[in-house]
Amino acid sequence: MALELKEITKKVGIHTYIKPTSLILEPGYFNVLLGETGSGKTSLIKLMAGLDPMASGQIIMNGKDISSMNTQKRNISLVHQFFINYPHMSVFDNIASPLRVAGMAKSEIEGRVEEAADILQLRSMLKRRPDQLSGGQQQRCALARAIAKESDAVFLDEPLANLDYKLREELREQLPELFAGRGAVVVYATSEPEEALLLGGKTALMDNGRVTQFGPTADVYRKPSNLASARVFSNPPINCANVEKKNGLITMGNMASWKVDAQTRSLEDGHYTIAIRPNHVMPKRSDQTNVILQGLVKITELSGSESSAHFEMENETWVSLAPGVHDFNIGIEHQFHMDSSNCFYFDENDQVVGD
Amino acid sequence: MKTYNQKAWFFVLPVLVLVAFNALIPIMTVVNYSVQETFGDNVFFWQGLDWFEQLLRSDRFHASLGRQFLFTGLILVIEIPLGIAVALSMPRKGIWVPVCLVTMALPMLIPWNVVGAMWNIFTLPDIGLLGYFFNHTLGISYDMTQDPLAAWITIVTMDVWHWTSLVVLLSYAGLVSIPDDYYRAARIDGASNFAVFRYIQLPKMKTVLTIAILLRFMDSFNIYTEPFVLTGGGPGNSTTLLSIDLVKIALGQFDLGPAAAMSLIYFAITLLVSWVFYSVMNNQTDEEG
């Protein structure tokens, strides 16, 4: 059982929305599509769901070519970012709608709807209409519809994006449980790197209509294979700079330099791009840090237990994100510290290099 | 004690005057006529409810009321489904939308008496385009001036041609207000085209359809000009609808008393049926959303 994409593309007129994409998505864990708004997550989901026509390529579900099959026949579910429920039907009827369409017996429909309603704590609201529910309840209703159907593939297109923080946390925790053991291929699109990390499973990073990297989420996070992947999988945006390796030393303009280490020893002398996540750029020196950066603080933010500072060095603006409360003075030079072994190195083709 | 500001009456006064002149006074005049007999010269004789009794027992009234219900029934049965079907097949976006909308609106822009005259000339057996085509090209006998069935087919077709557009435009407005997301959700659910129509489009069109049915009921129940110009109520009395009969009694025979009584009954029936329609459909809307 798997959903296999073979070189699928989407074109409208002269514009290419999805560049040739191949993925093998399997049940048992979450397949996360991570990318910024407009990177092609929804387009890819629509192709898989058959809602938009492919320009080329093949989609294989459970060994069967479904490329030209109607959406109606694909046995899939889709939960949108916006809460889509039929407004004129009760919660019960909404959850039951795909089962009724499939011509299922009344008693079985009731059983399945009640099971889904129990899982999503909608039991007491089955008679209400969607407009009498809160946002979280409406989305739970949409999720219940996806669960009750027992589809081969479930597509969740940023299902938590429009919920408030607390509900989002709550529902995110429940999601993997909801779909565990159902045998469906679950595809989850999100624009938040934290969400991909929390949901685990595998992650496909998307940038500008193509998948830049696909693999177990933790691996993808630890080892981005190219600059685009590194950029996608970082929030706040990853810090980048041009560096030069020469005579056993890596220099970053006039800003900083450090000695080559195990990671960079094998690199040839030349120009590279480095990327380092903001949480590896610290406002205080520690035993691990070996590089000092001097920057003019432009913006500071304090979010709960973390402090971030945007600082300017020559023509680069970097971000530091550190746990705890740190006092920065805007418009004042401040020293930041990093451990050079946390840097990723990319060659002129933006492919990762180094050991 | 709470004091009320009586100034509001002053602002309502113009409306009251207007309503009095265009509704209350004319209706009271009709009520006045309906209980009296007059031979002109402003001389009246009290009749009580005689005219109403006579009318309700009269075969002539029953016949024209029956014809009226038949006509309205046919109109609704044909125009509502046809209007929905046309609206469903119209494009939702693109350059053809305004073309379709304007084409649809055209028949409604033509004055009613012109519609009657047009269809009269169009269907006359020897000189009309359609009449000539049927009689002389196809060899099918079709003469709405002689054959009651042909006359009925003609007035119903004429009304369908004239007013289906209204149903189309209202249904279309209901359809385009449905977000694409529902159609997508329905496809994901595996719904057939019929299921999409039955469970998404129809419920969403319910409000506008209620308005369409009410408007078409009232308009067709009160129709006068078009069939009068087309057939004049003939051949015989076969297309003498309620309004045509009413005008015959009032202005042809100058029986103002019976005509006034008939007007009131006519008005009461229109009001009653509209109210029934409205409450039935509104109840369903409440139940189903």
Side-chain angles (χ1 to χ4, degrees):
Chain A
M1 190 112 150
L3 181 62
E4 197 181 341
L5 315 181
K6 287 185 177 170
E7 298 285 310
I8 66 170
T9 60
K10 180 190 172 184
K11 282 179 189 152
V12 178
I14 53 162
H15 299 285
T16 303
Y17 286 91
I18 295 291
K19 289 161 192 158
T21 297
S22 299
L23 286 175
I24 296 179
L25 308 169
E26 285 171 329
Y29 49 81
F30 269 53
N31 295 282
V32 180
L33 298 178
L34 175 64
E36 284 172 20
T37 310
S39 60
K41 304 182 299 285
T42 302
S43 296
L44 191 61
I45 284 183
K46 281 188 185 167
L47 288 186
M48 292 191 271
L51 290 171
D52 283 342
M54 293 188 293
S56 63
Q58 256 188 330
I59 300 179
I60 315 280
M61 176 120 77
N62 304 336
K64 211 167 102 189
D65 188 351
I66 57 163
S67 311
S68 52
M69 193 185 266
N70 282 342
T71 301
Q72 283 95 324
K73 293 190 182 143
R74 289 194 185 189
N75 192 27
I76 50 173
S77 300
L78 174 55
V79 177
H80 294 264
Q81 174 177 359
F82 303 99
F83 321 132
I84 308 288
N85 294 300
Y86 303 121
H88 53 282
M89 292 184 191
S90 67
V91 170
F92 183 96
D93 290 334
N94 261 290
I95 302 173
S97 62
L99 310 178
R100 291 217 173 106
V101 164
M104 200 175 276
K106 218 171 181 181
S107 56
E108 200 183 342
I109 291 180
E110 266 172 36
R112 285 230 215 159
V113 170
E114 279 167 11
E115 188 207 339
D118 280 342
I119 297 174
L120 286 151
Q121 296 149 30
L122 288 168
R123 194 63 183 254
S124 57
M125 292 153 208
L126 285 174
K127 284 193 183 134
R128 294 200 203 162
R129 278 205 255 115
D131 57 3
Q132 296 165 318
L133 302 179
S134 70
Q137 289 162 344
Q138 286 184 41
Q139 193 65 322
R140 290 218 297 272
C141 176
L143 282 165
R145 197 160 80 230
I147 287 175
K149 193 182 170 188
E150 299 193 354
S151 332
D152 293 335
V154 179
F155 303 109
L156 307 169
D157 189 4
E158 303 199 46
L160 310 179
N162 283 319
L163 296 176
D164 60 57
Y165 184 74
K166 217 173 162 191
L167 267 171
R168 191 159 56 195
E169 300 275 288
E170 211 178 281
L171 211 50
R172 189 195 288 128
E173 270 173 36
Q174 292 174 354
L175 274 176
E177 272 173 60
L178 294 183
F179 292 98
R182 292 192 174 264
V185 174
V186 181
V187 178
Y188 186 102
T190 179
S191 57
E192 292 172 35
E194 293 87 351
E195 215 160 72
L197 287 167
L198 286 165
L199 290 168
K202 284 188 176 177
T203 293
L205 299 178
M206 291 203 67
D207 179 55
N208 203 12
R210 92 202 139 91
V211 172
T212 58
Q213 194 174 350
F214 179 57
T217 306
D219 292 358
V220 174
Y221 182 76
R222 268 196 295 265
K223 289 180 190 146
S225 62
N226 48 58
L227 188 56
S229 299
R231 281 186 204 276
V232 172
F233 219 150
S234 176
N235 183 31
I238 202 160
N239 300 310
C240 297
N242 294 318
V243 297
E244 188 182 6
K245 186 190 172 195
K246 209 175 170 183
N247 306 329
L249 208 64
I250 300 197
T251 33
M252 192 169 110
N254 297 322
M255 296 171 270
S257 65
W258 56 91
K259 281 188 190 138
V260 291
D261 51 16
Q263 187 188 6
T264 46
R265 195 153 293 139
S266 60
L267 295 182
E268 285 174 28
D269 281 5
H271 291 274
Y272 297 93
T273 305
I274 60 157
I276 181 164
R277 293 204 169 92
N279 56 325
H280 289 135
V281 179
M282 312 304 286
K284 291 220 163 74
R285 184 198 290 270
S286 75
D287 296 343
Q288 280 89 37
T289 60
N290 62 341
V291 180
I292 300 173
L293 302 161
Q294 182 89 17
L296 185 70
V297 177
K298 301 293 253 184
I299 305 169
T300 65
E301 288 160 334
L302 183 63
S303 64
S305 55
E306 289 176 323
S307 317
S308 75
H310 298 237
F311 60 97
E312 207 174 69
M313 308 176 291
E314 288 187 2
N315 43 13
E316 305 285 350
T317 301
W318 276 28
V319 183
S320 150
L321 181 70
V325 178
H326 298 271
D327 288 323
F328 300 104
N329 292 317
I330 292 175
I332 303 285
E333 293 270 333
H334 194 281
Q335 278 191 351
F336 294 89
H337 305 268
M338 68 177 195
D339 174 0
S340 61
S341 66
N342 285 324
C343 290
F344 302 114
Y345 293 79
F346 303 96
D347 63 14
E348 69 270 24
N349 298 321
D350 290 341
Q351 296 302 310
V352 77
V353 289
D355 300 316
Chain B
M1 217 182 92
K2 203 172 175 186
T3 55
Y4 289 93
N5 189 344
Q6 304 291 343
K7 260 187 216 155
W9 290 107
F10 178 73
F11 295 106
V12 179
L13 207 61
V15 178
L16 287 178
V17 172
L18 202 70
V19 170
F21 270 97
N22 76 26
L24 293 178
I25 295 174
I27 284 186
M28 289 325 292
T29 315
V30 175
V31 172
N32 187 33
Y33 274 101
S34 73
V35 289
Q36 302 189 70
E37 168 72 301
T38 176
F39 302 104
D41 287 343
N42 221 8
V43 182
F44 289 93
F45 301 94
W46 178 253
Q47 287 282 335
L49 295 175
D50 288 358
W51 299 136
F52 290 94
E53 265 186 65
Q54 271 180 33
L55 200 71
L56 290 172
R57 292 212 182 98
S58 120
D59 290 339
R60 176 178 167 177
F61 176 70
H62 293 163
S64 49
L65 184 64
R67 282 191 289 268
Q68 187 64 65
F69 270 115
L70 178 66
F71 177 74
T72 297
L74 283 172
I75 293 302
L76 290 179
V77 165
I78 297 171
E79 287 182 9
I80 300 296
L82 184 65
I84 295 172
V86 173
L88 283 173
S89 53
M90 268 166 66
R92 308 265 155 75
K93 30 183 121 121
I95 50 162
W96 288 104
V97 172
V99 177
C100 285
L101 290 178
V102 171
T103 314
M104 279 295 139
L106 273 180
M108 295 195 295
L109 299 176
I110 301 171
W112 298 11
N113 53 346
V114 176
V115 170
M118 264 170 56
W119 278 80
N120 186 309
I121 296 165
F122 184 49
T123 53
L124 280 175
D126 290 320
I127 57 165
L129 194 64
L130 187 76
Y132 187 90
F133 178 70
F134 268 106
N135 287 295
H136 301 282
T137 312
L138 294 181
I140 298 169
S141 160
Y142 165 75
D143 185 354
M144 56 100 188
T145 61
Q146 300 297 325
D147 176 15
L149 180 66
W152 266 87
I153 291 174
T154 313
I155 61 168
V156 169
T157 311
M158 172 181 68
D159 198 88
V160 168
W161 175 83
H162 196 183
W163 288 113
T164 304
S165 303
L166 180 75
V167 184
V168 173
L169 294 181
L170 285 169
S171 306
Y172 186 75
L175 279 176
V176 291
S177 73
I178 303 175
D180 282 347
D181 293 329
Y182 295 134
Y183 293 118
R184 279 200 212 107
R187 280 165 70 190
I188 299 277
D189 280 356
S192 62
N193 288 344
F194 177 75
V196 170
F197 173 69
R198 170 68 189 83
Y199 294 107
I200 297 178
Q201 291 172 324
L202 203 55
K204 270 283 188 181
M205 281 195 289
K206 222 156 203 171
T207 323
V208 283
L209 277 181
T210 308
I211 298 170
I213 292 174
L214 267 180
L215 283 178
R216 283 317 298 132
F217 165 75
M218 289 190 288
D219 275 355
S220 66
F221 204 75
N222 296 338
I223 194 169
Y224 174 76
T225 317
E226 297 146 279
F228 179 75
V229 174
L230 183 67
T231 64
N237 277 329
S238 62
T239 58
T240 302
L241 303 173
L242 214 47
S243 58
I244 296 177
D245 206 18
L246 176 65
V247 174
K248 274 186 186 168
I249 294 171
L251 302 179
Q253 302 161 216
F254 216 68
D255 284 332
L256 293 182
M262 187 168 165
S263 303
L264 289 176
I265 293 174
Y266 195 170
F267 176 58
I269 294 173
T270 313
L271 204 62
L272 182 77
V273 178
S274 299
W275 177 72
V276 169
F277 262 135
Y278 184 78
S279 12
V280 167
M281 286 185 296
N282 231 25
N283 265 345
Q284 275 185 349
T285 316
D286 283 348
E287 275 165 27
E288 294 191 28

